């Protein structure tokens, strides 16, 4: 039921002054509704949240972990904060594409954790973990 229908039912209780106030109230409600629709039509973008999600394709060469096993594991940014921290990324560990990893807040250092793989580090030194029993020492090469 609309406001007009509700006020029409209650119209016999309102004086002519009340009808004028009802009309102004309806105009105010309509204007608020239109302004609300205009604000709701543009949802918050990633930039409003402080994230940059358009990392260039093929930008994996900037963050590469060179490990003791002789392999290189590139970290491809997906979302980067305004401060320059990689928030989510794809860690390429083999031929089957990358493992999706996310930055986990730590007191000191950093941790990127994904399904079955995580990377603990401090500055350029890191430990790449494949499950509970496989750990490789790595160095971040820029």
């Amino acid at each position: 039921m609309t406001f007009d229908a509700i006020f029409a039912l209650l119209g016999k209780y309102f004086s002519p002054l009340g009808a004028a106030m009802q009309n102004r109230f309806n105009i105010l409600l309509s204007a608020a509704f239109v302004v609300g629709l205009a604000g709701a039509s543009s949802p918050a973008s990633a930039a409003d949240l402080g994230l940059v999600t358009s990392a260039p394709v093929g930008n994996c060469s900037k963050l590469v972990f060179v490990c003791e096993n002789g392999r290189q594991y590139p970290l491809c940014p997906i979302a980067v904060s305004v401060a320059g921290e990689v928030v989510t990324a794809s860690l390429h560990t083999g031929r089957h594409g990358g493992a999706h990893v996310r930055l986990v807040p730590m007191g000191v250092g950093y941790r990127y954790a994904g399904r079955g793989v995580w990377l603990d580090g401090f500055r350029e030194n890191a430990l790449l973990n494949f499950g509970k029993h496989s750990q490789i020492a790595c160095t971040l090469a820029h």
Side-chain angles (χ1 to χ4, degrees):
M1 190 175 263
T2 64
F3 283 106
D4 291 331
I6 293 171
F7 283 117
L9 292 173
L10 298 174
K12 63 182 175 182
Y13 298 108
F14 290 105
S15 66
L17 179 61
M21 289 176 63
Q22 173 193 356
N23 188 25
R24 288 187 182 175
F25 182 70
N26 284 343
I27 291 171
L28 177 68
L29 280 178
S30 299
F33 181 73
V34 169
V35 169
L37 280 180
S41 65
S42 58
S45 66
D48 296 334
L49 301 174
L51 298 176
V52 178
T53 57
S54 59
V57 176
N59 197 18
C60 299
S61 61
K62 289 187 179 181
L63 297 171
V64 177
F65 290 93
V66 180
C67 298
E68 288 181 347
N69 63 355
R71 298 194 54 197
Q72 296 182 357
Y73 300 98
L75 186 72
C76 303
I78 295 172
V80 180
S81 72
V82 174
E85 297 174 329
V86 177
V87 179
T88 59
S90 179
L91 180 64
H92 291 273
T93 57
R95 292 178 232 113
H96 304 293
H100 184 79
V101 293
R102 175 169 298 203
L103 179 65
V104 177
M106 302 284 286
V108 176
Y110 55 88
R111 174 177 285 172
Y112 289 100
R115 189 177 300 241
V117 62
W118 66 95
L119 182 74
D120 290 328
F122 181 73
R123 296 191 180 150
E124 67 274 352
N125 298 319
L127 291 173
L128 181 59
N129 297 283
F130 294 103
K132 295 179 182 178
H133 304 292
S134 178
Q135 189 176 62
I136 304 165
C138 302
T139 304
L140 179 63
H142 295 281

